[in-house]
Amino acid sequence: MNPPCGLFADDMSAEISPELPDHASIMEVRLQAQEEEIILLKSSLADALRRIHVHDQACSWRTPSIQSNIYWKELELSSIVFLVWRRMKSRRRRMKEVGSRRRHFPGQGSMMDASLQRNHALLQPPTETWSRTSSIKMFIRGRPITMYIPSNIQNYEDLRMEPPSQRLELDWVYGYRGRDCRANLYFLPSGEAVYFIACVVVLYHINNRTQRHYRKHTDCVRCLTLHPDKVRVASGQTAGVDKDGKALQACVHIWDSTTLVTLQQIGLGTFQRGVGSVAFSCADSGTFLCVIDDSNEHMLSVWDCNKGTKHAEVKSTNEAVFAVEFNPSDSTNIITCGRSHVYFWTLSRGQFTKKQGIFGKYKKPKFIQCFVFSLTGDVLTGDSEGNILTWGKSAADVKTLGKGAKETLQIMRQTKAHEGSVFTLCTLQGSALLSGGGKDRKIIRWSADLAPERECEIPEKFGAVRTIADVDDEELLVGTTRNAILRGTFSDGFVAIVQGHVDEMWGLATHPSQNIFLTCGHDRQVCLWNTEEHQLDWCINLEEYGLCADFCPNGSVVSVGLSTGRWMVLDLLTQDVISDSTDGNEQLSVIRYSPDGSFLAVGSHDNFIYIYNVTENGRRYSRFGKCNGHSSFITHLDWSTDGKHIMSNSGDYEILYWDIAAGCKLLRNRFESKDREWASYTCVLGFHVMGVWLEGSDGTDINALCRSHSERIVAVADDFCKVHLFQYPCPKPKAPSHRYEGHGSHVTNVCFTHCDSHLLSMGGKDMCILQWRVVGRGSGDSRERLTSASSTSTGSPEPATC
C-alpha cells in the first residue's frame, strides 16, 4: 500500500520510489468522472423542469393535452424527463383540488396549508441547483474537458470578450546569434553595434547602452551586411513554416539604419529555404546586392538595389557556402567560399563564369571559413586548418592543362595563424589585418606583410571568436560562438556587453519584489538578469540542464528544477546551493511556492506532485506529502490564495484540484472549486483561460501562460513564435487578443514582473529573451468586470461547447 500523504518523514533524504498510481486511485478517477456525468444529468433535468414551469405560465390558457404536445415537440424531452413532467402536472392538479376544498372547508386549514407548502416547494424551478452545477465543455483532440462556471456569472452567453486596453512594446532584446552564423556584427557611425537574434535586428548604442530594433522580418534572420554608405543595411531571413506546416517565403530587406524604414524587399518567393549570405557591391557605391540562398544548389543571384529586380542568377555548388563578397575595385568579380572550395566568379552581360581556386601543393582544407580583400588587391582566406592563404593570379600551366589554357587562381603564400579554425578575418584602416581563432580563442593583429604584431585571448566561458568589428582601429567588438559580444582592446582586454543562452530555454521566473528575473535551459546555465540595467547579474553552470524555476516569496532564495528529477535551492546573493533534493528519476516540469512561502510544490514527469514544508525563510525543506492521481506528466500548477489548495494540469489535459492542508487529498467534485481564488494563474487549462485556445488546437499549441498580478490581462506563449495578450478572465472561445512577433522559435515561457510593468518572453531554439513594456491601463478588478459583463437575469445558460 502507498503511505498516506502527509505522513512522510521530515528527512530530506527519504527514499522516493516512482510508483505508478494504484488500482484505488484509478477507480477514484473513474468515480469522479461518473459523478460529474450524474451532476450534468441532474442539471439538465433541473433546467428542463424550470423551462416547463416558465412555459406553463405563458400558456396557461391551453388544455393539458395541447400543452403536452407542445412540451414534447419544443423541448424534445427524453422519456424520463417527460414522465417526471407528467407526475409534476398531476401534483399540480391535486394542489388545485386541495385549494378548492380549502375554500369549501375552511376548518381544515392548518393541515391543508402544510400539505400545500410542501407541494409548492416541490414545484419551484430548481434554478439554484442549476446555477451551482452549470458547466460548459471544451474539446482538445476530441477529448471533452468540463469547465464549471463560477457563481458570479449569471449568464455565460451574454459575456463579451474584448481585446485588453493594455499593449506591449518591445523594450529590450537579450542575446546574440553567434553560435551558427558568420559576419553578423557591424559597427555604425552612429555609435551603434548592429547584430541579430531571432526575428529582430538590434541596433545597440555601446556608450549610451540603449537599443533600437528593426522588426520587419517574419522569421529568423540569418545574415547581415552593411552598405558602403554605412547607413543602409541588408538582412536576409529563413523561410520557415506557418502553423499549418506550409512553407513561408524567404526574402532580403534593405532598410535605413537611421529611420528603420524598409527601402526594398528583395526576392520574395525566389529564395528556397532561406538566405545564407548577402553582400553589397563597393566599386559602384552599392548599386548591386549579391545573395546566396539555402537551396541544394545554393543559387547565386545579383539584384539591383534601387529597382529590386534580379540582374543575374546561377547555381553555385551543392556544398555549403559560408561567405560571399564583391571585389571592392570591380563589381563584376564575386568570390564565394565554403566547404572545400573557393570560387572566383565573373559577371558579364547577365552571365556568370566560374573559376575554382587551385590548392596545388598545399593541403586542401575541409572548410574555407572566411576571406577578405587586402589593400593590395590580394584575396586572403582563413581555413579550418588554422592557415591564412594568400591567393593570386598565375599563368596557366600549359604542360598540365594543355595548350590554350587560361590563367589560374592559386595559393601564393600560406601563413600559420591559429590552432584550429580561422573563423574570421577583418581588415583595419591602416592596412593591418585581424584574425580570430576557434580552438585557441585568440585575436591576432597582423601587419600588411602578415607578420604578427599583437595578440590576446578571450575568456574560455565566451567560446571561440566568431566575428570581429572595428570601432576605431584600436577598440574592437568581438562576437563569439557562445552568443556573447565583447568590447575592448588588446591592451585592456575584453568585457561582455551582450550575453545570452546557447541552447534551448524553458525555465523562467521573476522576483517577487525586485526588477530581476531568472532563466535556465538546456545549456546547463542558470542566469540572473536585471530588467532595469538590461544586463546579466550572474551566471552559474549546473551538472544537468534546468527546466523550471520559482522565487521564494521572501525573495532571498530561488528553486530550480532539473532534467533528472533533482531540484536545488540557490542563495540569490552568494549563488550557493543551500538545499539539494531528488524526487523520482524523471524531469521536473514545474516548481512553485505557496503564497506565504510555507510550502513548495514540485511537479514531475512521473505524474506526481511532491509537496514540501518550507521553514527558516526558504532554507530548510522537509517532505510533507505527494499528490497522486494524474494519469500523465504534470505540466502546470497554481496555488490558491489561502495556500491550502492546488490546481494542476497534466499532459493528457486533466484539470485536478488538491486539498494540501487535508493531506494532499484529491478533490473529486471539481465543481466545488469553481469559485476558489488563485494566487497565480499559469495553468493553460481552466475556465478563466478557455478563450486563449484556438479552434482545432491539439493541446500542445500553448506552452505557457501567465496572469498579471493585477488580474487584468493574461499573456500566452504559443508554438507558432507568437506572444498573445488577452483580457482576463478569458472564458469564451475565439476571444480577441493582441499578437506580437519577434521570436523565431516556439515561445516556451512568459512571465510578468512583480509590478506588471514588463513582460518577459522566452524563445526555445532561438535562444532569445524579449522584454516587453506593458503600456496602457485597465480599470476595475477582474472579478467585477466578469460579473458586470454577465446578465443580471437569474436565468441560467445552456451547456455550451467550444
Side-chain angles (χ1 to χ4, degrees):
M1 292 180 60
N2 295 330
C5 293
L7 299 180
F8 287 93
D10 288 349
D11 186 5
M12 289 286 293
S13 62
E15 183 178 356
I16 304 169
S17 61
E19 53 191 342
L20 297 174
D22 55 15
H23 182 70
S25 63
I26 295 174
M27 294 302 294
E28 287 179 357
V29 174
R30 290 182 180 176
L31 179 61
Q32 178 187 350
Q34 292 174 356
E35 289 177 349
E36 290 177 357
E37 292 182 3
I38 293 172
I39 291 170
L40 288 176
L41 289 173
K42 289 180 179 178
S43 301
S44 300
L45 179 59
D47 187 55
L49 294 175
R50 178 185 61 80
R51 292 180 178 217
I52 290 171
H53 179 76
V54 174
H55 195 73
D56 181 49
Q57 290 179 340
C59 304
S60 58
W61 55 270
R62 293 175 176 155
T63 64
S65 60
I66 295 176
Q67 290 181 26
S68 64
N69 290 332
I70 292 175
Y71 293 152
W72 179 262
K73 291 179 181 180
E74 292 186 0
L75 299 176
E76 297 180 355
L77 295 173
S78 65
S79 58
I80 297 176
V81 176
F82 183 69
L83 290 175
V84 173
W85 171 78
R86 291 295 296 271
R87 186 173 181 181
M88 300 297 282
K89 289 297 293 181
S90 66
R91 288 185 179 180
R92 184 188 301 274
R93 284 195 296 271
R94 287 199 299 271
M95 286 182 63
K96 290 181 179 178
E97 293 174 0
V98 170
S100 177
R101 287 197 297 272
R102 180 183 177 188
R103 287 191 298 271
H104 289 90
F105 305 99
Q108 301 177 4
S110 59
M111 183 182 300
M112 292 183 180
D113 281 343
S115 176
L116 181 63
Q117 290 173 3
R118 287 195 301 269
N119 287 309
H120 182 71
L122 290 173
L123 288 171
Q124 290 302 308
T127 305
E128 184 179 356
T129 302
W130 163 254
S131 177
R132 280 201 311 267
T133 59
S134 60
S135 63
I136 58 177
K137 286 184 181 290
M138 68 175 294
F139 291 86
I140 294 183
R141 303 189 72 173
R143 175 172 180 170
I145 303 175
T146 302
M147 305 288 184
Y148 294 99
I149 301 176
S151 301
N152 62 341
I153 299 181
Q154 298 177 352
N155 198 329
Y156 174 80
E157 294 299 330
D158 288 347
L159 290 178
R160 294 292 178 262
M161 297 290 100
E162 297 178 352
S165 59
Q166 295 90 338
R167 293 180 179 270
L168 301 180
E169 293 180 354
L170 186 60
D171 179 48
W172 200 264
V173 178
Y174 298 90
Y176 154 76
R177 186 168 180 173
R179 184 179 182 183
D180 59 350
C181 292
R182 296 167 171 81
N184 54 3
L185 175 64
Y186 294 88
F187 186 73
L188 303 177
S190 61
E192 296 170 305
V194 56
Y195 57 93
F196 59 80
I197 184 172
C199 303
V200 184
V201 181
V202 181
L203 295 93
Y204 174 62
H205 199 290
I206 62 175
N207 291 326
N208 298 339
R209 298 176 65 184
T210 58
Q211 280 188 358
R212 296 188 297 139
H213 311 104
Y214 179 76
R215 298 180 53 201
K216 299 300 183 182
H217 285 284
T218 58
D219 215 299
C220 283
V221 182
R222 288 290 312 280
C223 55
L224 189 71
T225 192
L226 188 60
H227 194 273
D229 63 11
K230 305 296 183 181
V231 175
R232 282 176 282 179
V233 177
S235 50
Q237 70 173 59
T238 188
V241 294
D242 63 11
K243 65 179 182 179
D244 298 320
K246 182 180 178 181
L248 299 176
Q249 295 178 332
C251 63
V252 176
H253 288 188
I254 301 176
W255 47 280
D256 190 304
S257 63
T258 303
T259 62
L260 302 182
V261 173
T262 304
L263 306 175
Q264 285 286 350
Q265 191 177 42
I266 301 292
L268 187 64
T270 301
F271 309 123
Q272 295 185 30
R273 299 179 185 168
V275 178
S277 301
V278 289
F280 282 109
S281 59
C282 297
D284 50 15
S285 301
T287 301
F288 295 103
L289 179 74
C290 185
V291 181
I292 293 182
D293 71 8
D294 287 333
S295 64
N296 292 338
E297 295 82 11
H298 295 96
M299 300 298 296
L300 169 64
S301 56
V302 174
W303 299 76
D304 188 310
C305 295
N306 297 320
K307 300 178 181 178
T309 56
K310 187 191 300 182
H311 185 61
E313 184 179 46
V314 67
K315 296 179 181 179
S316 65
T317 176
N318 289 330
E319 301 289 352
V321 179
F322 294 155
V324 61
E325 288 289 346
F326 282 92
N327 189 317
S329 59
D330 186 356
S331 295
T332 63
N333 292 333
I334 299 172
I335 298 178
T336 63
C337 72
R339 183 182 178 92
S340 301
H341 75 269
V342 179
Y343 291 146
F344 299 83
W345 304 84
T346 302
L347 178 59
S348 177
R349 298 179 182 180
Q351 299 294 322
F352 281 102
T353 57
K354 177 178 70 173
K355 289 184 178 181
Q356 184 170 356
I358 306 299
F359 289 91
K361 64 180 181 179
Y362 297 97
K363 179 183 177 181
K364 188 175 185 179
K366 188 175 183 180
F367 297 103
I368 303 294
Q369 306 274 15
C370 55
F371 69 89
V372 293
F373 291 89
S374 68
L375 295 181
T376 58
D378 292 331
V379 177
L380 306 176
T381 64
D383 61 35
S384 55
E385 301 295 324
N387 297 318
I388 298 177
L389 304 177
T390 304
W391 296 80
K393 294 181 179 179
S394 176
D397 187 350
V398 178
K399 295 182 179 179
T400 305
L401 301 177
K403 188 177 181 180
K406 299 180 180 179
E407 64 180 7
T408 59
L409 292 154
Q410 297 183 357
I411 299 173
M412 311 300 293
R413 179 182 177 184
Q414 176 177 285
T415 305
K416 183 62 178 180
H418 293 273
E419 181 183 356
S421 295
V422 179
F423 275 151
T424 184
L425 294 172
C426 174
T427 53
L428 301 179
Q429 297 176 359
S431 73
L433 176 71
L434 296 176
S435 64
K439 187 176 181 180
D440 60 11
R441 306 186 314 279
K442 288 183 178 180
I443 302 173
I444 302 178
R445 179 183 175 116
W446 306 83
S447 64
D449 58 354
L450 292 183
E453 294 180 341
R454 305 182 70 179
E455 70 175 52
C456 67
E457 182 178 322
I458 65 172
E460 183 179 2
K461 65 179 181 179
F462 297 127
V465 179
R466 174 61 75 188
T467 188
I468 301 173
D470 179 26
V471 175
D472 57 6
D473 206 43
E474 181 67 26
E475 188 176 18
L476 305 175
L477 296 179
V478 180
T480 75
T481 57
R482 290 190 62 83
N483 295 346
I485 297 177
L486 312 181
R487 178 187 183 186
T489 63
F490 282 97
S491 56
D492 298 331
F494 291 86
V495 296
I497 59 173
V498 176
Q499 289 178 265
H501 282 272
V502 294
D503 208 339
E504 187 170 0
M505 300 180 293
W506 282 92
L508 173 66
T510 53
H511 195 275
S513 59
Q514 300 178 29
N515 294 319
I516 56 178
F517 67 96
L518 183 136
T519 59
C520 56
H522 289 194
D523 57 4
R524 296 178 172 83
Q525 291 187 144
V526 176
C527 301
L528 187 72
W529 308 84
N530 190 306
T531 60
E532 291 183 333
E533 299 296 329
H534 306 121
Q535 66 182 14
L536 181 67
D537 283 350
W538 54 257
C539 177
I540 63 173
N541 293 314
L542 304 178
E543 296 177 1
E544 302 100 22
Y545 56 81
L547 294 173
C548 53
D550 193 35
F551 285 92
C552 184
N554 64 24
S556 63
V557 300
V558 62
S559 294
V560 180
L562 308 181
S563 58
T564 58
R566 180 184 172 198
W567 57 274
M568 56 180 57
V569 183
L570 304 175
D571 186 284
L572 212 58
L573 295 178
T574 64
Q575 300 98 56
D576 293 334
V577 177
I578 59 179
S579 181
D580 193 335
S581 305
T582 301
D583 287 309
N585 56 5
E586 297 192 45
Q587 69 182 47
L588 303 180
S589 50
V590 57
I591 188 166
R592 196 167 297 279
Y593 285 92
S594 62
D596 61 357
S598 60
F599 288 103
L600 176 69
V602 180
S604 171
H605 267 229
D606 63 7
N607 303 359
F608 298 134
I609 301 174
Y610 301 90
I611 307 298
Y612 283 83
N613 268 321
V614 183
T615 55
E616 299 181 11
N617 292 323
R619 295 180 175 272
R620 182 175 178 81
Y621 297 79
S622 58
R623 175 74 74 81
F624 175 79
K626 181 171 66 173
C627 299
N628 179 2
H630 272 294
S631 54
S632 185
F633 58 90
I634 312 301
T635 58
H636 307 84
L637 66 85
D638 290 290
W639 285 90
S640 60
T641 53
D642 59 10
K644 297 180 180 179
H645 299 85
I646 282 179
M647 169 176 57
S648 58
N649 293 166
S650 61
D652 58 352
Y653 323 123
E654 283 183 323
I655 308 173
L656 296 185
Y657 298 90
W658 313 86
D659 189 337
I660 304 303
C664 306
K665 180 183 177 182
L666 175 64
L667 300 177
R668 294 191 179 93
N669 293 327
R670 292 196 296 114
F671 71 91
E672 295 179 354
S673 299
K674 68 183 186 303
D675 294 327
R676 188 162 284 120
E677 297 182 5
W678 302 100
S680 62
Y681 212 117
T682 61
C683 287
V684 298
L685 293 175
F687 173 81
H688 293 82
V689 294
M690 283 177 51
V692 307
W693 290 89
L694 296 175
E695 187 175 359
S697 296
D698 69 352
T700 63
D701 296 338
I702 293 178
N703 296 313
L705 62 79
C706 182
R707 183 189 69 188
S708 65
H709 297 85
S710 66
E711 301 187 16
R712 294 171 178 169
I713 51 178
V714 59
V716 175
D718 71 16
D719 247 5
F720 313 115
C721 314
K722 304 297 187 296
V723 175
H724 299 261
L725 202 64
F726 291 86
Q727 76 168 38
Y728 180 87
C730 185
K732 297 198 72 175
K734 300 181 180 179
S737 69
H738 302 306
R739 187 181 70 175
Y740 300 94
E741 301 177 344
H743 285 289
S745 175
H746 56 294
V747 187
T748 57
N749 218 330
V750 286
C751 200
F752 286 95
T753 55
H754 69 97
C755 58
D756 292 338
S757 62
H758 292 84
L759 174 76
L760 284 309
S761 64
M762 173 186 292
K765 293 292 186 181
D766 66 13
M767 296 162 283
C768 177
I769 305 168
L770 300 183
Q771 179 174 309
W772 307 86
R773 185 185 299 106
V774 181
V775 297
R777 297 296 179 190
S779 61
D781 182 80
S782 62
R783 291 180 291 275
E784 296 174 359
R785 296 201 315 273
L786 191 61
T787 304
S788 62
S790 62
S791 173
T792 57
S793 170
T794 57
S796 299
E798 293 181 331
T801 59
C802 69

